[in-house]
Amino acid sequence: MAFSIIPIIFLIFSVLVPSFIASSLAVLDPEFVVQEVHRKVNASRRKLGFLSCNTGNPIDDCWRCDPNWEEHRQKLADCAIGFGKYAIGGRDGDVYVVTNSRDDDPVNPRPGTLRYAVIQDEPLWIIFARDMVIQLKEELIMNSFKTIDGRGARVHIAGGPCITVQYVTNIIIHGINIHDCTQGGNAMVRDSPHHYGWRTISDGDGVSIFGSSHVWVDHCSLSNCTDGLIDAIEGSTAITISNNFMTRHDKVMLLGHNDSYVQDKNMQVTIAFNHFGEGLVQRIPRCRHGYFHVVNNDYTRWKMYAIGGSAAPTINSQGNRFLAPNNIFSKEVTKHEYADESEWKNWNWRSEGDLMLNGAYFTPSGAGASSSYAKASSLSARPSSLVSSITSGAGALVCRKCSIY
Ligand SMILES: *[C@@H]1O[C@H](CO)[C@@H](O)[C@H](O)[C@H]1NC(C)=O
Ligand SMILES: *[C@@H]1O[C@H](CO)[C@@H](O)[C@H](O)[C@H]1NC(C)=O
Ligand SMILES: *[C@@H]1O[C@H](CO)[C@@H](O)[C@H](O)[C@H]1NC(C)=O
């Protein structure tokens, strides 16, 4: 954070502690001065919102405090939290600039297109030359160690098949508008420079995560897709879904393939700092088998229920804000699916520090073995009173500069 200190030094010294600077700066040990500045900056942050970079959102604070973040875009990879925090994406590779939003060729992608970038074997940090709307002809099948970074441009992937993360690792998707995604398929699609293959009809998800690990989806706006907005199935794990804004969609997130697919028992997913807004119906998320940490999200709309699941998932809900709909039959946050109470009463689902509004209620279950919740804990929850500020920037940011200053 050294880069952010210099302007603060001037501001703090001139605004807050003129006497300190006048009387003692000249004689102090430089190391002490630095510490003193840190201490005062820390102490003043809470009071001086307009100078502060401490938004309370630890992911955003990690990069938006740097006025020159664009020169160090790949540092974003070190800002992740939760179970997906080791996803490095294309951190250790070159930056690749997408210049062509058209001409999508699923088998022989053209240089300059997003598809050309995502199929490469080497790590790449993919950015965009300008605002663009990309309507894909088939699923965009990503290769490992890629970041799609929409910061500073308005990028939409919309109106066609969307993103597929299948049998790969280390994927970061940040700052993209993903909407109106449709099914693809019965077509050839390339997934690496040396392989393409036949794809049957796809589900039509916004982001489909299949047999993959170390995946982080941050600050995306997702809405109105054919199947899920983000689905993670078939042995996927180590996933963080954070700072997203989701709207206008029925089955929002499916985490876990089916009740008999026990390979999903190891799945660990963090759902943090998201805003779940207008027009959502259910599955926010719907979980199976694994361990799910749902923390500091703002639920402002759901029609049927918010968090559900089957096949004995462990669900750790902490510090969320749940605003129930007015319909008297939809006040319950939770839905234990496809099981009698005699069975689901043993599933470990708990609510800690959640704010329940408009009659919302969470039906906990299970004996609450701490070892089980330890596997469903990925960061320390902030108080629910901070949720509205933590999530105020959820979704793809509409900013050119984007830094807090
Ligand atoms: C100021 O806060 C930062 C992180 O918020 C911490 O690392 C640092 O030790 C603090 N410095 C002092 C002097 O309190
Ligand atoms: C959602 O997408 C479908 C096409 O998949 C479109 O017909 C419909 O108008 C969209 N709905 C909204 C509310 O945007
Ligand atoms: C679960 O998924 C597996 C793998 O796709 C499939 O073979 C199996 O039939 C499915 N089971 C059920 C009950 O749907």
Side-chain angles (χ1 to χ4, degrees), residues 117-143:
V118 301
I119 62 157
Q120 299 304 316
D121 282 330
E122 71 268 25
L124 286 177
W125 194 277
I126 301 161
I127 67 172
F128 299 84
R130 56 178 183 281
D131 295 353
M132 53 181 81
V133 177
I134 298 173
Q135 183 173 17
L136 297 163
K137 294 202 176 92
E138 297 294 340
E139 295 164 88
L140 186 78
I141 306 185
M142 296 185 69
N143 205 338

PDB file of all heavy atoms in Angstrom, residues 117-143:
ATOM      1  N   ALA A 117      -7.972 -15.293 -26.963  1.00  0.00           N
ATOM      2  CA  ALA A 117      -7.203 -15.122 -25.726  1.00  0.00           C
ATOM      3  C   ALA A 117      -7.462 -16.258 -24.739  1.00  0.00           C
ATOM      4  O   ALA A 117      -6.526 -16.817 -24.165  1.00  0.00           O
ATOM      5  CB  ALA A 117      -7.542 -13.774 -25.094  1.00  0.00           C
ATOM      6  N   VAL A 118      -8.718 -16.626 -24.546  1.00  0.00           N
ATOM      7  CA  VAL A 118      -9.026 -17.569 -23.456  1.00  0.00           C
ATOM      8  C   VAL A 118      -8.608 -19.006 -23.733  1.00  0.00           C
ATOM      9  O   VAL A 118      -8.506 -19.806 -22.804  1.00  0.00           O
ATOM     10  CB  VAL A 118     -10.523 -17.566 -23.044  1.00  0.00           C
ATOM     11  CG1 VAL A 118     -10.952 -16.189 -22.583  1.00  0.00           C
ATOM     12  CG2 VAL A 118     -11.421 -18.100 -24.150  1.00  0.00           C
ATOM     13  N   ILE A 119      -8.379 -19.354 -24.995  1.00  0.00           N
ATOM     14  CA  ILE A 119      -8.010 -20.759 -25.280  1.00  0.00           C
ATOM     15  C   ILE A 119      -6.508 -21.001 -25.207  1.00  0.00           C
ATOM     16  O   ILE A 119      -6.070 -22.154 -25.274  1.00  0.00           O
ATOM     17  CB  ILE A 119      -8.499 -21.215 -26.671  1.00  0.00           C
ATOM     18  CG1 ILE A 119      -7.831 -20.378 -27.769  1.00  0.00           C
ATOM     19  CG2 ILE A 119     -10.014 -21.182 -26.754  1.00  0.00           C
ATOM     20  CD1 ILE A 119      -7.793 -21.071 -29.099  1.00  0.00           C
ATOM     21  N   GLN A 120      -5.716 -19.949 -25.085  1.00  0.00           N
ATOM     22  CA  GLN A 120      -4.261 -20.142 -25.141  1.00  0.00           C
ATOM     23  C   GLN A 120      -3.774 -21.006 -23.971  1.00  0.00           C
ATOM     24  O   GLN A 120      -4.400 -21.081 -22.924  1.00  0.00           O
ATOM     25  CB  GLN A 120      -3.547 -18.786 -25.125  1.00  0.00           C
ATOM     26  CG  GLN A 120      -3.901 -17.890 -26.311  1.00  0.00           C
ATOM     27  CD  GLN A 120      -3.652 -18.550 -27.665  1.00  0.00           C
ATOM     28  OE1 GLN A 120      -2.616 -19.190 -27.873  1.00  0.00           O
ATOM     29  NE2 GLN A 120      -4.616 -18.431 -28.574  1.00  0.00           N
ATOM     30  N   ASP A 121      -2.622 -21.644 -24.175  1.00  0.00           N
ATOM     31  CA  ASP A 121      -2.050 -22.500 -23.133  1.00  0.00           C
ATOM     32  C   ASP A 121      -1.351 -21.705 -22.037  1.00  0.00           C
ATOM     33  O   ASP A 121      -1.342 -22.115 -20.883  1.00  0.00           O
ATOM     34  CB  ASP A 121      -1.031 -23.475 -23.747  1.00  0.00           C
ATOM     35  CG  ASP A 121      -1.714 -24.634 -24.444  1.00  0.00           C
ATOM     36  OD1 ASP A 121      -2.829 -25.014 -24.005  1.00  0.00           O
ATOM     37  OD2 ASP A 121      -1.150 -25.158 -25.417  1.00  0.00           O
ATOM     38  N   GLU A 122      -0.716 -20.583 -22.393  1.00  0.00           N
ATOM     39  CA  GLU A 122       0.060 -19.868 -21.379  1.00  0.00           C
ATOM     40  C   GLU A 122      -0.865 -18.957 -20.555  1.00  0.00           C
ATOM     41  O   GLU A 122      -1.949 -18.589 -21.008  1.00  0.00           O
ATOM     42  CB  GLU A 122       1.186 -19.048 -22.023  1.00  0.00           C
ATOM     43  CG  GLU A 122       0.739 -17.839 -22.809  1.00  0.00           C
ATOM     44  CD  GLU A 122       0.519 -18.117 -24.288  1.00  0.00           C
ATOM     45  OE1 GLU A 122       0.253 -19.286 -24.649  1.00  0.00           O
ATOM     46  OE2 GLU A 122       0.591 -17.154 -25.072  1.00  0.00           O
ATOM     47  N   PRO A 123      -0.421 -18.594 -19.344  1.00  0.00           N
ATOM     48  CA  PRO A 123      -1.221 -17.674 -18.537  1.00  0.00           C
ATOM     49  C   PRO A 123      -1.409 -16.339 -19.265  1.00  0.00           C
ATOM     50  O   PRO A 123      -0.462 -15.849 -19.892  1.00  0.00           O
ATOM     51  CB  PRO A 123      -0.371 -17.455 -17.276  1.00  0.00           C
ATOM     52  CG  PRO A 123       0.685 -18.488 -17.297  1.00  0.00           C
ATOM     53  CD  PRO A 123       0.849 -18.948 -18.703  1.00  0.00           C
ATOM     54  N   LEU A 124      -2.604 -15.778 -19.212  1.00  0.00           N
ATOM     55  CA  LEU A 124      -2.848 -14.466 -19.822  1.00  0.00           C
ATOM     56  C   LEU A 124      -3.777 -13.659 -18.934  1.00  0.00           C
ATOM     57  O   LEU A 124      -4.752 -14.190 -18.382  1.00  0.00           O
ATOM     58  CB  LEU A 124      -3.487 -14.605 -21.205  1.00  0.00           C
ATOM     59  CG  LEU A 124      -2.602 -15.063 -22.361  1.00  0.00           C
ATOM     60  CD1 LEU A 124      -3.437 -15.195 -23.627  1.00  0.00           C
ATOM     61  CD2 LEU A 124      -1.425 -14.104 -22.588  1.00  0.00           C
ATOM     62  N   TRP A 125      -3.482 -12.372 -18.836  1.00  0.00           N
ATOM     63  CA  TRP A 125      -4.354 -11.415 -18.139  1.00  0.00           C
ATOM     64  C   TRP A 125      -5.036 -10.614 -19.241  1.00  0.00           C
ATOM     65  O   TRP A 125      -4.413  -9.779 -19.894  1.00  0.00           O
ATOM     66  CB  TRP A 125      -3.521 -10.532 -17.217  1.00  0.00           C
ATOM     67  CG  TRP A 125      -4.378  -9.773 -16.255  1.00  0.00           C
ATOM     68  CD1 TRP A 125      -5.029  -8.601 -16.485  1.00  0.00           C
ATOM     69  CD2 TRP A 125      -4.673 -10.148 -14.908  1.00  0.00           C
ATOM     70  NE1 TRP A 125      -5.726  -8.228 -15.363  1.00  0.00           N
ATOM     71  CE2 TRP A 125      -5.521  -9.152 -14.381  1.00  0.00           C
ATOM     72  CE3 TRP A 125      -4.316 -11.235 -14.096  1.00  0.00           C
ATOM     73  CZ2 TRP A 125      -6.004  -9.209 -13.063  1.00  0.00           C
ATOM     74  CZ3 TRP A 125      -4.799 -11.279 -12.796  1.00  0.00           C
ATOM     75  CH2 TRP A 125      -5.641 -10.278 -12.291  1.00  0.00           C
ATOM     76  N   ILE A 126      -6.322 -10.875 -19.438  1.00  0.00           N
ATOM     77  CA  ILE A 126      -7.028 -10.389 -20.630  1.00  0.00           C
ATOM     78  C   ILE A 126      -7.810  -9.124 -20.292  1.00  0.00           C
ATOM     79  O   ILE A 126      -8.639  -9.118 -19.379  1.00  0.00           O
ATOM     80  CB  ILE A 126      -7.971 -11.491 -21.145  1.00  0.00           C
ATOM     81  CG1 ILE A 126      -7.167 -12.754 -21.481  1.00  0.00           C
ATOM     82  CG2 ILE A 126      -8.770 -10.997 -22.345  1.00  0.00           C
ATOM     83  CD1 ILE A 126      -8.009 -14.018 -21.546  1.00  0.00           C
ATOM     84  N   ILE A 127      -7.535  -8.053 -21.032  1.00  0.00           N
ATOM     85  CA  ILE A 127      -8.226  -6.779 -20.821  1.00  0.00           C
ATOM     86  C   ILE A 127      -8.827  -6.310 -22.150  1.00  0.00           C
ATOM     87  O   ILE A 127      -8.648  -6.956 -23.185  1.00  0.00           O
ATOM     88  CB  ILE A 127      -7.287  -5.716 -20.217  1.00  0.00           C
ATOM     89  CG1 ILE A 127      -6.196  -5.316 -21.209  1.00  0.00           C
ATOM     90  CG2 ILE A 127      -6.651  -6.244 -18.933  1.00  0.00           C
ATOM     91  CD1 ILE A 127      -5.353  -4.133 -20.739  1.00  0.00           C
ATOM     92  N   PHE A 128      -9.505  -5.168 -22.121  1.00  0.00           N
ATOM     93  CA  PHE A 128     -10.286  -4.732 -23.276  1.00  0.00           C
ATOM     94  C   PHE A 128      -9.869  -3.335 -23.717  1.00  0.00           C
ATOM     95  O   PHE A 128      -9.725  -2.438 -22.878  1.00  0.00           O
ATOM     96  CB  PHE A 128     -11.781  -4.790 -22.939  1.00  0.00           C
ATOM     97  CG  PHE A 128     -12.212  -6.194 -22.603  1.00  0.00           C
ATOM     98  CD1 PHE A 128     -12.042  -6.705 -21.311  1.00  0.00           C
ATOM     99  CD2 PHE A 128     -12.715  -7.029 -23.586  1.00  0.00           C
ATOM    100  CE1 PHE A 128     -12.386  -8.018 -21.009  1.00  0.00           C
ATOM    101  CE2 PHE A 128     -13.059  -8.348 -23.288  1.00  0.00           C
ATOM    102  CZ  PHE A 128     -12.894  -8.831 -22.006  1.00  0.00           C
ATOM    103  N   ALA A 129      -9.702  -3.160 -25.019  1.00  0.00           N
ATOM    104  CA  ALA A 129      -9.223  -1.881 -25.552  1.00  0.00           C
ATOM    105  C   ALA A 129     -10.250  -0.770 -25.383  1.00  0.00           C
ATOM    106  O   ALA A 129      -9.894   0.403 -25.340  1.00  0.00           O
ATOM    107  CB  ALA A 129      -8.874  -2.037 -27.032  1.00  0.00           C
ATOM    108  N   ARG A 130     -11.514  -1.131 -25.290  1.00  0.00           N
ATOM    109  CA  ARG A 130     -12.573  -0.114 -25.189  1.00  0.00           C
ATOM    110  C   ARG A 130     -13.857  -0.812 -24.746  1.00  0.00           C
ATOM    111  O   ARG A 130     -13.873  -2.036 -24.599  1.00  0.00           O
ATOM    112  CB  ARG A 130     -12.786   0.566 -26.549  1.00  0.00           C
ATOM    113  CG  ARG A 130     -13.090  -0.415 -27.632  1.00  0.00           C
ATOM    114  CD  ARG A 130     -13.367   0.181 -29.006  1.00  0.00           C
ATOM    115  NE  ARG A 130     -13.701  -0.935 -29.894  1.00  0.00           N
ATOM    116  CZ  ARG A 130     -12.815  -1.728 -30.439  1.00  0.00           C
ATOM    117  NH1 ARG A 130     -11.526  -1.530 -30.256  1.00  0.00           N
ATOM    118  NH2 ARG A 130     -13.197  -2.746 -31.190  1.00  0.00           N
ATOM    119  N   ASP A 131     -14.927  -0.048 -24.596  1.00  0.00           N
ATOM    120  CA  ASP A 131     -16.226  -0.638 -24.283  1.00  0.00           C
ATOM    121  C   ASP A 131     -16.606  -1.592 -25.409  1.00  0.00           C
ATOM    122  O   ASP A 131     -16.383  -1.282 -26.587  1.00  0.00           O
ATOM    123  CB  ASP A 131     -17.309   0.446 -24.207  1.00  0.00           C
ATOM    124  CG  ASP A 131     -17.085   1.422 -23.051  1.00  0.00           C
ATOM    125  OD1 ASP A 131     -16.169   1.185 -22.237  1.00  0.00           O
ATOM    126  OD2 ASP A 131     -17.834   2.407 -22.985  1.00  0.00           O
ATOM    127  N   MET A 132     -17.187  -2.718 -25.078  1.00  0.00           N
ATOM    128  CA  MET A 132     -17.656  -3.595 -26.147  1.00  0.00           C
ATOM    129  C   MET A 132     -18.741  -4.564 -25.691  1.00  0.00           C
ATOM    130  O   MET A 132     -18.846  -4.902 -24.522  1.00  0.00           O
ATOM    131  CB  MET A 132     -16.503  -4.347 -26.817  1.00  0.00           C
ATOM    132  CG  MET A 132     -15.577  -5.123 -25.948  1.00  0.00           C
ATOM    133  SD  MET A 132     -14.251  -5.919 -26.947  1.00  0.00           S
ATOM    134  CE  MET A 132     -13.078  -4.589 -27.187  1.00  0.00           C
ATOM    135  N   VAL A 133     -19.560  -4.965 -26.663  1.00  0.00           N
ATOM    136  CA  VAL A 133     -20.569  -5.998 -26.454  1.00  0.00           C
ATOM    137  C   VAL A 133     -20.132  -7.191 -27.287  1.00  0.00           C
ATOM    138  O   VAL A 133     -19.929  -7.073 -28.497  1.00  0.00           O
ATOM    139  CB  VAL A 133     -21.967  -5.522 -26.914  1.00  0.00           C
ATOM    140  CG1 VAL A 133     -22.991  -6.643 -26.748  1.00  0.00           C
ATOM    141  CG2 VAL A 133     -22.386  -4.281 -26.134  1.00  0.00           C
ATOM    142  N   ILE A 134     -19.961  -8.311 -26.626  1.00  0.00           N
ATOM    143  CA  ILE A 134     -19.493  -9.507 -27.314  1.00  0.00           C
ATOM    144  C   ILE A 134     -20.629 -10.523 -27.337  1.00  0.00           C
ATOM    145  O   ILE A 134     -21.070 -10.995 -26.284  1.00  0.00           O
ATOM    146  CB  ILE A 134     -18.245 -10.081 -26.608  1.00  0.00           C
ATOM    147  CG1 ILE A 134     -17.108  -9.049 -26.646  1.00  0.00           C
ATOM    148  CG2 ILE A 134     -17.826 -11.401 -27.244  1.00  0.00           C
ATOM    149  CD1 ILE A 134     -15.881  -9.441 -25.845  1.00  0.00           C
ATOM    150  N   GLN A 135     -21.112 -10.794 -28.514  1.00  0.00           N
ATOM    151  CA  GLN A 135     -22.160 -11.802 -28.668  1.00  0.00           C
ATOM    152  C   GLN A 135     -21.498 -13.041 -29.259  1.00  0.00           C
ATOM    153  O   GLN A 135     -21.115 -13.064 -30.431  1.00  0.00           O
ATOM    154  CB  GLN A 135     -23.269 -11.280 -29.580  1.00  0.00           C
ATOM    155  CG  GLN A 135     -24.422 -12.263 -29.714  1.00  0.00           C
ATOM    156  CD  GLN A 135     -25.608 -11.689 -30.474  1.00  0.00           C
ATOM    157  OE1 GLN A 135     -25.496 -10.679 -31.177  1.00  0.00           O
ATOM    158  NE2 GLN A 135     -26.758 -12.344 -30.343  1.00  0.00           N
ATOM    159  N   LEU A 136     -21.366 -14.062 -28.419  1.00  0.00           N
ATOM    160  CA  LEU A 136     -20.641 -15.257 -28.844  1.00  0.00           C
ATOM    161  C   LEU A 136     -21.545 -16.182 -29.649  1.00  0.00           C
ATOM    162  O   LEU A 136     -22.759 -16.246 -29.417  1.00  0.00           O
ATOM    163  CB  LEU A 136     -20.116 -15.992 -27.611  1.00  0.00           C
ATOM    164  CG  LEU A 136     -19.093 -15.190 -26.783  1.00  0.00           C
ATOM    165  CD1 LEU A 136     -18.949 -15.787 -25.385  1.00  0.00           C
ATOM    166  CD2 LEU A 136     -17.747 -15.163 -27.500  1.00  0.00           C
ATOM    167  N   LYS A 137     -20.923 -16.923 -30.559  1.00  0.00           N
ATOM    168  CA  LYS A 137     -21.707 -17.878 -31.354  1.00  0.00           C
ATOM    169  C   LYS A 137     -21.847 -19.212 -30.622  1.00  0.00           C
ATOM    170  O   LYS A 137     -22.832 -19.923 -30.809  1.00  0.00           O
ATOM    171  CB  LYS A 137     -21.029 -18.102 -32.699  1.00  0.00           C
ATOM    172  CG  LYS A 137     -21.025 -16.861 -33.584  1.00  0.00           C
ATOM    173  CD  LYS A 137     -20.845 -17.243 -35.048  1.00  0.00           C
ATOM    174  CE  LYS A 137     -20.932 -16.024 -35.950  1.00  0.00           C
ATOM    175  NZ  LYS A 137     -19.609 -15.420 -36.210  1.00  0.00           N
ATOM    176  N   GLU A 138     -20.826 -19.575 -29.830  1.00  0.00           N
ATOM    177  CA  GLU A 138     -20.880 -20.797 -29.027  1.00  0.00           C
ATOM    178  C   GLU A 138     -20.300 -20.485 -27.650  1.00  0.00           C
ATOM    179  O   GLU A 138     -19.774 -19.397 -27.432  1.00  0.00           O
ATOM    180  CB  GLU A 138     -20.079 -21.931 -29.705  1.00  0.00           C
ATOM    181  CG  GLU A 138     -20.629 -22.367 -31.068  1.00  0.00           C
ATOM    182  CD  GLU A 138     -22.002 -23.014 -30.995  1.00  0.00           C
ATOM    183  OE1 GLU A 138     -22.386 -23.478 -29.891  1.00  0.00           O
ATOM    184  OE2 GLU A 138     -22.717 -23.037 -32.025  1.00  0.00           O
ATOM    185  N   GLU A 139     -20.362 -21.475 -26.729  1.00  0.00           N
ATOM    186  CA  GLU A 139     -19.768 -21.295 -25.405  1.00  0.00           C
ATOM    187  C   GLU A 139     -18.326 -20.812 -25.535  1.00  0.00           C
ATOM    188  O   GLU A 139     -17.587 -21.289 -26.401  1.00  0.00           O
ATOM    189  CB  GLU A 139     -19.691 -22.630 -24.662  1.00  0.00           C
ATOM    190  CG  GLU A 139     -20.976 -23.298 -24.316  1.00  0.00           C
ATOM    191  CD  GLU A 139     -20.685 -24.759 -23.958  1.00  0.00           C
ATOM    192  OE1 GLU A 139     -20.408 -25.025 -22.782  1.00  0.00           O
ATOM    193  OE2 GLU A 139     -20.711 -25.621 -24.851  1.00  0.00           O
ATOM    194  N   LEU A 140     -17.933 -19.951 -24.619  1.00  0.00           N
ATOM    195  CA  LEU A 140     -16.539 -19.507 -24.547  1.00  0.00           C
ATOM    196  C   LEU A 140     -15.837 -20.467 -23.589  1.00  0.00           C
ATOM    197  O   LEU A 140     -16.024 -20.402 -22.372  1.00  0.00           O
ATOM    198  CB  LEU A 140     -16.488 -18.086 -23.993  1.00  0.00           C
ATOM    199  CG  LEU A 140     -15.114 -17.422 -23.989  1.00  0.00           C
ATOM    200  CD1 LEU A 140     -14.765 -16.929 -25.398  1.00  0.00           C
ATOM    201  CD2 LEU A 140     -15.071 -16.270 -23.003  1.00  0.00           C
ATOM    202  N   ILE A 141     -15.035 -21.384 -24.126  1.00  0.00           N
ATOM    203  CA  ILE A 141     -14.428 -22.432 -23.290  1.00  0.00           C
ATOM    204  C   ILE A 141     -13.026 -21.994 -22.892  1.00  0.00           C
ATOM    205  O   ILE A 141     -12.124 -21.896 -23.730  1.00  0.00           O
ATOM    206  CB  ILE A 141     -14.403 -23.773 -24.036  1.00  0.00           C
ATOM    207  CG1 ILE A 141     -15.824 -24.130 -24.518  1.00  0.00           C
ATOM    208  CG2 ILE A 141     -13.864 -24.864 -23.125  1.00  0.00           C
ATOM    209  CD1 ILE A 141     -15.944 -25.480 -25.157  1.00  0.00           C
ATOM    210  N   MET A 142     -12.865 -21.742 -21.597  1.00  0.00           N
ATOM    211  CA  MET A 142     -11.609 -21.152 -21.115  1.00  0.00           C
ATOM    212  C   MET A 142     -10.561 -22.210 -20.819  1.00  0.00           C
ATOM    213  O   MET A 142     -10.869 -23.266 -20.282  1.00  0.00           O
ATOM    214  CB  MET A 142     -11.866 -20.320 -19.854  1.00  0.00           C
ATOM    215  CG  MET A 142     -12.766 -19.114 -20.112  1.00  0.00           C
ATOM    216  SD  MET A 142     -12.961 -18.057 -18.659  1.00  0.00           S
ATOM    217  CE  MET A 142     -11.316 -17.355 -18.501  1.00  0.00           C
ATOM    218  N   ASN A 143      -9.319 -21.893 -21.113  1.00  0.00           N
ATOM    219  CA  ASN A 143      -8.181 -22.699 -20.710  1.00  0.00           C
ATOM    220  C   ASN A 143      -7.684 -22.193 -19.343  1.00  0.00           C
ATOM    221  O   ASN A 143      -8.048 -21.091 -18.910  1.00  0.00           O
ATOM    222  CB  ASN A 143      -7.085 -22.589 -21.781  1.00  0.00           C
ATOM    223  CG  ASN A 143      -6.156 -23.785 -21.793  1.00  0.00           C
ATOM    224  OD1 ASN A 143      -6.035 -24.512 -20.807  1.00  0.00           O
ATOM    225  ND2 ASN A 143      -5.471 -23.983 -22.915  1.00  0.00           N
TER     226      ASN A 143
END
